[in-house]
Coordinates of all heavy atoms in Angstrom, one line a residue:
M17 N -16.1 -1.3 4.7 CA -15.1 -0.5 4.2 C -14.7 -0.9 2.8 O -14.5 -2.1 2.6 CB -13.9 -0.5 5.2 CG -12.7 0.4 4.8 SD -11.3 0.3 5.8 CE -11.9 0.9 7.4
N18 N -14.7 0.0 1.9 CA -14.3 -0.4 0.5 C -12.8 -0.6 0.4 O -12.0 -0.3 1.3 CB -14.9 0.6 -0.5 CG -14.2 2.0 -0.4 OD1 -13.1 2.1 -0.1 ND2 -15.0 3.0 -0.6
S19 N -12.4 -1.1 -0.8 CA -11.0 -1.5 -1.0 C -10.1 -0.2 -0.9 O -9.0 -0.3 -0.4 CB -10.8 -2.2 -2.3 OG -11.4 -3.4 -2.3
L20 N -10.5 0.9 -1.5 CA -9.7 2.1 -1.5 C -9.5 2.6 0.0 O -8.4 2.9 0.4 CB -10.4 3.2 -2.3 CG -9.6 4.5 -2.4 CD1 -8.2 4.4 -2.9 CD2 -10.4 5.5 -3.2
D21 N -10.6 2.5 0.8 CA -10.4 2.9 2.2 C -9.5 2.0 3.0 O -8.8 2.4 3.8 CB -11.8 3.0 2.8 CG -12.6 4.3 2.4 OD1 -12.0 5.2 1.9 OD2 -13.8 4.2 2.5
K22 N -9.6 0.7 2.6 CA -8.8 -0.3 3.3 C -7.3 -0.1 3.0 O -6.5 -0.2 3.9 CB -9.2 -1.7 2.9 CG -10.4 -2.2 3.6 CD -11.0 -3.5 3.1 CE -10.2 -4.7 2.8 NZ -10.9 -5.9 2.5
L23 N -7.0 0.3 1.7 CA -5.6 0.5 1.3 C -5.1 1.8 2.0 O -4.0 1.8 2.5 CB -5.5 0.6 -0.2 CG -4.1 0.7 -0.7 CD1 -3.2 -0.4 -0.2 CD2 -4.1 0.8 -2.2
K24 N -6.0 2.8 2.0 CA -5.6 4.1 2.7 C -5.3 3.8 4.1 O -4.3 4.3 4.7 CB -6.7 5.1 2.6 CG -6.8 5.8 1.2 CD -8.0 6.8 1.2 CE -8.3 7.4 -0.1 NZ -9.4 8.3 -0.1
Q25 N -6.1 3.0 4.8 CA -5.9 2.7 6.2 C -4.7 1.9 6.4 O -3.9 2.1 7.4 CB -7.1 2.0 6.8 CG -7.1 1.8 8.3 CD -7.0 3.2 9.0 OE1 -7.8 4.1 8.7 NE2 -6.0 3.3 9.9
A26 N -4.3 1.0 5.5 CA -3.1 0.2 5.6 C -1.9 1.2 5.6 O -0.9 1.0 6.4 CB -3.0 -0.8 4.5
F27 N -1.9 2.2 4.7 CA -0.8 3.1 4.6 C -0.7 4.0 5.9 O 0.3 4.2 6.4 CB -1.0 4.0 3.4 CG -0.3 3.4 2.2 CD1 -0.9 2.4 1.4 CD2 0.9 3.9 1.7 CE1 -0.3 1.9 0.3 CE2 1.5 3.4 0.6 CZ 0.9 2.4 -0.1
I28 N -1.9 4.5 6.3 CA -1.9 5.3 7.5 C -1.4 4.6 8.7 O -0.6 5.1 9.5 CB -3.3 5.9 7.8 CG1 -3.7 6.9 6.7 CG2 -3.5 6.4 9.2 CD1 -5.1 7.3 6.6
T29 N -1.8 3.3 8.9 CA -1.4 2.5 10.0 C 0.1 2.2 10.0 O 0.9 2.4 10.9 CB -2.2 1.2 10.1 OG1 -3.6 1.6 10.3 CG2 -1.8 0.4 11.3
A30 N 0.5 1.6 8.9 CA 1.9 1.2 8.7 C 2.9 2.3 8.7 O 4.0 2.1 9.3 CB 2.1 0.3 7.5
L31 N 2.6 3.4 8.1 CA 3.5 4.5 8.0 C 3.4 5.6 9.2 O 4.0 6.6 9.2 CB 3.4 5.2 6.7 CG 3.6 4.3 5.5 CD1 3.5 5.1 4.2 CD2 4.9 3.5 5.5
A32 N 2.4 5.3 10.1 CA 2.1 6.2 11.2 C 1.8 7.6 10.7 O 2.3 8.6 11.2 CB 3.3 6.2 12.2
L33 N 1.0 7.6 9.6 CA 0.6 8.9 9.1 C -0.5 9.5 9.9 O -1.3 8.8 10.5 CB 0.1 8.8 7.6 CG 1.1 8.2 6.6 CD1 0.4 7.9 5.3 CD2 2.2 9.1 6.4
P34 N -0.6 10.8 10.0 CA -1.7 11.5 10.7 C -3.1 11.0 10.0 O -3.1 10.7 8.8 CB -1.5 13.0 10.5 CG -0.1 13.1 10.0 CD 0.3 11.8 9.4
S35 N -4.1 10.9 10.8 CA -5.4 10.3 10.3 C -5.9 11.1 9.1 O -6.6 10.5 8.3 CB -6.4 10.2 11.4 OG -6.7 11.5 11.9
G36 N -5.6 12.3 9.0 CA -6.1 13.1 7.9 C -5.2 13.2 6.7 O -5.4 13.9 5.7
A37 N -4.1 12.4 6.8 CA -3.0 12.5 5.7 C -3.6 11.9 4.4 O -4.4 11.1 4.4 CB -1.8 11.7 6.2
E38 N -3.0 12.5 3.3 CA -3.4 12.0 2.0 C -2.5 10.8 1.7 O -1.5 10.9 1.0 CB -3.3 13.1 1.0 CG -4.3 14.2 1.2 CD -4.2 15.2 0.1 OE1 -4.0 14.9 -1.1 OE2 -4.3 16.4 0.4
A39 N -3.0 9.6 2.1 CA -2.2 8.4 1.9 C -1.9 8.1 0.4 O -0.9 7.6 0.0 CB -2.9 7.2 2.5
E40 N -2.8 8.6 -0.5 CA -2.6 8.4 -1.9 C -1.4 9.1 -2.5 O -1.0 8.8 -3.6 CB -3.9 8.8 -2.7 CG -5.1 8.0 -2.3 CD -6.4 8.5 -2.8 OE1 -7.0 9.4 -2.2 OE2 -6.8 8.1 -3.9
R41 N -0.9 10.0 -1.8 CA 0.3 10.7 -2.2 C 1.6 10.1 -1.7 O 2.7 10.6 -2.0 CB 0.3 12.2 -1.8 CG -0.8 12.9 -2.5 CD -0.9 14.4 -2.0 NE -1.9 15.1 -2.7 CZ -1.7 16.2 -3.3 NH1 -0.5 16.8 -3.4 NH2 -2.7 16.8 -3.9
A42 N 1.5 9.0 -0.9 CA 2.7 8.4 -0.3 C 3.6 7.8 -1.4 O 3.2 7.1 -2.3 CB 2.3 7.3 0.6
V43 N 4.9 8.1 -1.2 CA 6.0 7.6 -2.1 C 7.2 7.3 -1.3 O 7.6 8.0 -0.4 CB 6.4 8.7 -3.2 CG1 7.5 8.2 -4.0 CG2 5.2 9.1 -4.0
Y44 N 7.7 6.1 -1.5 CA 8.9 5.6 -0.7 C 10.0 6.6 -0.9 O 10.3 7.0 -2.1 CB 9.3 4.2 -1.2 CG 10.4 3.6 -0.4 CD1 10.1 3.0 0.8 CD2 11.7 3.7 -0.8 CE1 11.1 2.5 1.6 CE2 12.7 3.2 0.0 CZ 12.4 2.6 1.2 OH 13.4 2.0 2.0
G45 N 10.7 7.0 0.1 CA 11.8 7.9 0.1 C 11.4 9.4 0.1 O 12.2 10.2 0.3
E46 N 10.1 9.6 -0.1 CA 9.6 11.0 0.0 C 8.7 11.2 1.1 O 8.5 12.3 1.7 CB 8.9 11.4 -1.3 CG 9.9 11.4 -2.5 CD 9.1 11.8 -3.8 OE1 8.0 12.3 -3.8 OE2 9.7 11.5 -4.9
T47 N 8.0 10.2 1.5 CA 7.0 10.3 2.6 C 7.7 10.0 3.9 O 8.4 9.0 4.1 CB 5.9 9.2 2.4 OG1 5.2 9.5 1.2 CG2 4.8 9.3 3.5
A48 N 7.6 11.0 4.8 CA 8.2 10.9 6.2 C 7.8 9.6 6.8 O 6.6 9.3 6.9 CB 7.9 12.1 7.0
G49 N 8.7 8.8 7.3 CA 8.4 7.6 8.1 C 8.4 6.4 7.2 O 8.4 5.3 7.7
W50 N 8.4 6.5 5.9 CA 8.4 5.3 5.0 C 9.8 4.9 4.8 O 10.5 5.2 3.8 CB 7.7 5.6 3.7 CG 7.4 4.3 2.9 CD1 7.8 3.1 3.2 CD2 6.6 4.2 1.8 NE1 7.3 2.2 2.2 CE2 6.6 2.9 1.4 CE3 5.8 5.1 1.0 CZ2 5.8 2.4 0.3 CZ3 5.1 4.7 -0.1 CH2 5.1 3.4 -0.4
D51 N 10.3 4.1 5.7 CA 11.7 3.5 5.6 C 11.5 2.0 5.4 O 10.4 1.5 5.2 CB 12.5 3.9 6.8 CG 11.9 3.4 8.1 OD1 11.0 2.5 8.1 OD2 12.4 3.8 9.2
S52 N 12.6 1.3 5.5 CA 12.6 -0.2 5.2 C 11.7 -0.9 6.3 O 11.0 -1.9 5.9 CB 14.0 -0.8 5.1 OG 14.7 -0.5 6.3
V53 N 11.8 -0.5 7.5 CA 11.0 -1.2 8.5 C 9.5 -0.9 8.3 O 8.7 -1.8 8.4 CB 11.5 -0.7 9.9 CG1 10.6 -1.3 11.0 CG2 12.9 -1.1 10.2
A54 N 9.2 0.4 8.1 CA 7.8 0.7 7.8 C 7.3 0.0 6.5 O 6.1 -0.3 6.4 CB 7.6 2.2 7.7
H55 N 8.2 -0.2 5.6 CA 7.8 -0.8 4.3 C 7.3 -2.2 4.6 O 6.3 -2.7 4.1 CB 9.0 -0.8 3.4 CG 8.6 -1.3 2.0 ND1 7.9 -0.6 1.1 CD2 8.8 -2.5 1.4 CE1 7.8 -1.3 0.0 NE2 8.3 -2.5 0.1
M56 N 8.0 -3.0 5.5 CA 7.6 -4.3 5.8 C 6.3 -4.3 6.6 O 5.5 -5.2 6.4 CB 8.8 -5.1 6.5 CG 10.0 -5.2 5.6 SD 9.7 -5.8 4.0 CE 9.0 -7.5 4.3
A57 N 6.1 -3.3 7.4 CA 4.9 -3.2 8.2 C 3.7 -3.0 7.2 O 2.6 -3.5 7.3 CB 5.0 -2.1 9.2
L58 N 4.0 -2.2 6.2 CA 3.0 -1.9 5.2 C 2.6 -3.1 4.4 O 1.4 -3.4 4.1 CB 3.5 -0.8 4.2 CG 2.6 -0.4 3.0 CD1 1.2 0.1 3.5 CD2 3.3 0.7 2.2
V59 N 3.6 -3.9 4.0 CA 3.4 -5.2 3.3 C 2.5 -6.0 4.2 O 1.5 -6.6 3.7 CB 4.7 -5.9 2.9 CG1 4.4 -7.3 2.5 CG2 5.5 -5.1 1.9
A60 N 2.8 -6.2 5.4 CA 2.0 -7.0 6.3 C 0.6 -6.5 6.5 O -0.4 -7.3 6.4 CB 2.6 -7.1 7.7
E61 N 0.4 -5.2 6.5 CA -1.0 -4.6 6.6 C -1.8 -4.9 5.4 O -2.9 -5.2 5.5 CB -0.9 -3.0 6.8 CG -0.4 -2.6 8.2 CD -1.5 -2.8 9.3 OE1 -2.7 -2.7 8.9 OE2 -1.1 -2.9 10.4
I62 N -1.1 -4.7 4.2 CA -1.8 -5.0 3.0 C -2.2 -6.4 2.8 O -3.3 -6.8 2.4 CB -1.0 -4.5 1.8 CG1 -0.9 -2.9 1.8 CG2 -1.5 -5.0 0.4 CD1 0.0 -2.3 0.8
E63 N -1.2 -7.3 3.1 CA -1.5 -8.7 3.0 C -2.7 -9.1 3.9 O -3.6 -9.9 3.5 CB -0.3 -9.5 3.3 CG 0.8 -9.5 2.3 CD 2.0 -10.3 2.6 OE1 2.3 -10.5 3.8 OE2 2.7 -10.7 1.6
A64 N -2.7 -8.6 5.1 CA -3.8 -8.9 6.1 C -5.1 -8.3 5.7 O -6.2 -9.0 5.7 CB -3.4 -8.5 7.5
A65 N -5.1 -7.1 5.2 CA -6.3 -6.4 4.8 C -7.0 -7.0 3.6 O -8.2 -7.1 3.5 CB -6.1 -4.9 4.6
F66 N -6.2 -7.5 2.7 CA -6.7 -8.0 1.4 C -6.6 -9.6 1.3 O -6.9 -10.1 0.2 CB -6.1 -7.3 0.2 CG -6.4 -5.8 0.2 CD1 -5.6 -4.9 0.7 CD2 -7.6 -5.4 -0.3 CE1 -5.9 -3.6 0.7 CE2 -8.0 -4.1 -0.3 CZ -7.1 -3.1 0.2
D67 N -6.1 -10.2 2.3 CA -5.9 -11.7 2.2 C -5.2 -12.1 1.0 O -5.6 -13.0 0.2 CB -7.3 -12.4 2.4 CG -7.1 -13.9 2.7 OD1 -6.1 -14.2 3.3 OD2 -8.0 -14.6 2.3
V68 N -4.0 -11.5 0.8 CA -3.1 -11.8 -0.3 C -1.7 -12.1 0.2 O -1.4 -11.7 1.3 CB -3.1 -10.7 -1.4 CG1 -4.4 -10.4 -2.0 CG2 -2.5 -9.4 -0.8
M69 N -0.9 -12.7 -0.7 CA 0.5 -12.9 -0.3 C 1.3 -12.3 -1.4 O 1.3 -12.8 -2.6 CB 0.8 -14.4 -0.2 CG 2.2 -14.7 0.1 SD 2.7 -14.2 1.8 CE 1.9 -15.4 2.8
L70 N 2.0 -11.2 -1.1 CA 2.9 -10.6 -2.1 C 4.2 -11.3 -2.3 O 4.8 -11.8 -1.3 CB 3.1 -9.1 -1.7 CG 1.9 -8.3 -1.4 CD1 2.3 -6.8 -1.1 CD2 0.9 -8.2 -2.6
D71 N 4.6 -11.4 -3.5 CA 5.9 -12.1 -3.7 C 7.1 -11.1 -3.5 O 6.8 -9.9 -3.4 CB 6.0 -12.9 -5.0 CG 5.9 -12.0 -6.3 OD1 6.4 -10.8 -6.2 OD2 5.4 -12.4 -7.3
T72 N 8.3 -11.6 -3.5 CA 9.4 -10.7 -3.2 C 9.5 -9.6 -4.2 O 9.8 -8.4 -3.8 CB 10.7 -11.5 -3.2 OG1 10.6 -12.6 -2.3 CG2 11.9 -10.7 -2.9
E73 N 9.3 -9.8 -5.5 CA 9.4 -8.8 -6.5 C 8.4 -7.7 -6.3 O 8.6 -6.5 -6.4 CB 9.2 -9.4 -7.9 CG 9.5 -8.4 -9.0 CD 9.4 -9.1 -10.4 OE1 10.0 -10.1 -10.6 OE2 8.7 -8.5 -11.2
E74 N 7.2 -8.1 -5.9 CA 6.1 -7.1 -5.6 C 6.4 -6.3 -4.4 O 6.2 -5.1 -4.4 CB 4.8 -7.8 -5.4 CG 4.2 -8.5 -6.7 CD 3.0 -9.4 -6.5 OE1 3.0 -10.0 -5.4 OE2 2.2 -9.4 -7.3
V75 N 7.0 -6.9 -3.4 CA 7.4 -6.2 -2.2 C 8.4 -5.1 -2.5 O 8.3 -4.0 -2.1 CB 7.9 -7.1 -1.1 CG1 8.6 -6.4 0.1 CG2 6.8 -8.0 -0.6
I76 N 9.4 -5.5 -3.3 CA 10.5 -4.6 -3.7 C 9.9 -3.5 -4.6 O 10.3 -2.3 -4.6 CB 11.6 -5.3 -4.4 CG1 12.3 -6.2 -3.4 CG2 12.6 -4.4 -5.1 CD1 13.3 -7.2 -4.0
D77 N 9.0 -3.8 -5.5 CA 8.4 -2.9 -6.5 C 7.4 -1.9 -5.9 O 7.2 -0.9 -6.6 CB 7.7 -3.8 -7.6 CG 7.5 -3.0 -8.9 OD1 8.3 -2.1 -9.2 OD2 6.6 -3.3 -9.6
M78 N 6.9 -2.2 -4.8 CA 5.9 -1.3 -4.2 C 6.5 0.0 -3.6 O 7.0 0.0 -2.5 CB 5.1 -2.0 -3.1 CG 3.9 -1.2 -2.7 SD 2.8 -2.1 -1.6 CE 3.9 -2.7 -0.3
S79 N 6.5 1.0 -4.5 CA 7.2 2.2 -4.1 C 6.3 3.4 -3.9 O 6.7 4.6 -3.7 CB 8.3 2.6 -5.2 OG 7.6 2.7 -6.4
S80 N 5.0 3.2 -4.1 CA 4.0 4.3 -3.9 C 2.6 3.7 -3.7 O 2.4 2.5 -3.9 CB 4.0 5.2 -5.2 OG 3.5 4.5 -6.3
F81 N 1.7 4.6 -3.4 CA 0.3 4.2 -3.2 C -0.2 3.6 -4.5 O -0.9 2.6 -4.6 CB -0.6 5.3 -2.7 CG -2.0 5.0 -2.3 CD1 -2.3 4.6 -1.0 CD2 -3.0 5.0 -3.3 CE1 -3.6 4.3 -0.7 CE2 -4.3 4.6 -3.0 CZ -4.6 4.3 -1.7
S82 N 0.0 4.3 -5.6 CA -0.5 3.9 -6.9 C 0.1 2.6 -7.3 O -0.5 1.7 -7.9 CB -0.3 5.0 -8.0 OG 1.1 5.2 -8.1
K83 N 1.4 2.3 -7.0 CA 2.0 1.0 -7.3 C 1.4 -0.1 -6.5 O 1.2 -1.2 -7.0 CB 3.5 1.1 -7.0 CG 4.3 0.0 -7.7 CD 4.2 0.1 -9.2 CE 5.1 -1.0 -9.8 NZ 5.0 -0.9 -11.2
A84 N 1.0 0.2 -5.2 CA 0.3 -0.8 -4.4 C -1.0 -1.1 -5.0 O -1.4 -2.3 -5.1 CB 0.1 -0.2 -3.0
E85 N -1.7 -0.1 -5.6 CA -3.0 -0.4 -6.3 C -2.8 -1.3 -7.5 O -3.5 -2.3 -7.7 CB -3.6 0.9 -6.8 CG -4.2 1.8 -5.8 CD -4.8 3.0 -6.4 OE1 -4.1 4.0 -6.6 OE2 -6.0 3.0 -6.7
E86 N -1.7 -1.1 -8.2 CA -1.4 -1.9 -9.4 C -1.1 -3.3 -9.0 O -1.6 -4.2 -9.6 CB -0.2 -1.2 -10.1 CG 0.2 -2.0 -11.4 CD 1.5 -1.3 -11.9 OE1 1.6 -0.1 -12.0 OE2 2.4 -2.1 -12.3
I87 N -0.3 -3.5 -8.0 CA 0.0 -4.8 -7.5 C -1.2 -5.5 -7.0 O -1.4 -6.7 -7.3 CB 1.1 -4.7 -6.4 CG1 2.5 -4.2 -7.0 CG2 1.3 -6.0 -5.6 CD1 3.5 -3.8 -6.0
L88 N -2.1 -4.9 -6.3 CA -3.3 -5.5 -5.8 C -4.2 -5.9 -7.0 O -4.8 -7.0 -6.9 CB -4.0 -4.6 -4.8 CG -3.5 -4.5 -3.4 CD1 -4.1 -3.4 -2.6 CD2 -3.6 -5.8 -2.7
S89 N -4.2 -5.1 -8.0 CA -5.0 -5.5 -9.2 C -4.6 -6.8 -9.8 O -5.4 -7.6 -10.3 CB -5.0 -4.4 -10.2 OG -3.8 -4.3 -10.9
R90 N -3.3 -7.1 -9.7 CA -2.7 -8.4 -10.2 C -3.2 -9.6 -9.3 O -3.2 -10.7 -9.8 CB -1.2 -8.4 -10.2 CG -0.6 -7.5 -11.2 CD 0.9 -7.7 -11.2 NE 1.5 -6.4 -11.3 CZ 2.6 -6.0 -10.7 NH1 3.3 -6.9 -10.0 NH2 3.1 -4.8 -10.8
H91 N -3.7 -9.2 -8.1 CA -4.2 -10.3 -7.2 C -5.7 -10.3 -7.2 O -6.4 -10.9 -6.4 CB -3.7 -10.0 -5.8 CG -2.2 -10.3 -5.6 ND1 -1.8 -11.6 -5.2 CD2 -1.1 -9.6 -5.8 CE1 -0.5 -11.6 -5.2 NE2 -0.1 -10.3 -5.5
G92 N -6.3 -9.6 -8.2 CA -7.8 -9.6 -8.4 C -8.5 -8.6 -7.5 O -9.7 -8.7 -7.3
V93 N -7.8 -7.7 -6.9 CA -8.4 -6.7 -6.0 C -8.5 -5.4 -6.8 O -7.5 -4.8 -7.2 CB -7.6 -6.4 -4.7 CG1 -8.2 -5.3 -3.9 CG2 -7.4 -7.7 -3.9
A94 N -9.8 -5.0 -7.0 CA -10.0 -3.7 -7.7 C -10.1 -2.6 -6.6 O -11.1 -2.6 -5.8 CB -11.3 -3.8 -8.5
V95 N -9.1 -1.8 -6.5 CA -9.1 -0.8 -5.4 C -10.1 0.4 -5.8 O -10.8 0.9 -4.9 CB -7.7 -0.2 -5.2 CG1 -7.7 0.9 -4.2 CG2 -6.8 -1.3 -4.7
R96 N -10.2 0.7 -7.0 CA -11.1 1.8 -7.5 C -12.1 1.2 -8.5 O -11.7 0.3 -9.3 CB -10.3 2.9 -8.2 CG -9.4 3.6 -7.3 CD -8.6 4.7 -8.0 NE -7.5 5.2 -7.2 CZ -7.5 6.2 -6.5 NH1 -8.6 7.0 -6.4 NH2 -6.4 6.6 -5.8
A97 N -13.3 1.7 -8.5 CA -14.3 1.2 -9.4 C -13.8 1.6 -10.8 O -13.3 2.7 -11.0 CB -15.6 1.8 -9.1
A98 N -14.0 0.8 -11.8 CA -13.6 1.0 -13.2 C -14.5 2.0 -13.8 O -15.6 2.3 -13.5 CB -13.6 -0.2 -14.0

């Protein structure tokens, strides 16, 4: 599974999205089910999937799928091919 698929799966699992959902459109406060509890589940899914440890600022800053991509890039994870 490539990094993009792993990130999509983390969002689908943590936010309990339907399997066909467009995880890339997920935005905190707009995506049904993405509340504070689901946010922490999402952080745990991402940390486990990519073997990274997000700091508090990154956890707070992660407000969308694209922001998660950006944060992962700081940890050396290229979600999309350049």
Side-chain angles (χ1 to χ4, degrees):
M17 183 180 297
N18 66 37
S19 294
L20 180 59
D21 289 338
K22 283 173 40 174
L23 186 56
K24 286 179 184 178
Q25 190 57 51
F27 270 78
I28 288 168
T29 300
L31 304 181
L33 299 174
S35 61
E38 293 186 38
E40 293 171 275
R41 293 179 178 235
V43 176
Y44 186 82
E46 294 178 20
T47 301
W50 192 350
D51 58 14
S52 59
V53 175
H55 188 76
M56 295 314 295
L58 177 58
V59 168
E61 287 286 333
I62 290 172
E63 289 180 332
F66 295 97
D67 194 27
V68 296
M69 180 67 74
L70 304 182
D71 65 32
T72 303
E73 187 175 311
E74 291 170 326
V75 170
I76 293 167
D77 199 30
M78 190 173 50
S79 58
S80 66
F81 187 92
S82 61
K83 196 65 176 179
E85 287 183 272
E86 179 185 315
I87 290 167
L88 283 169
S89 72
R90 290 186 226 146
H91 289 270
V93 177
V95 175
R96 296 177 194 263

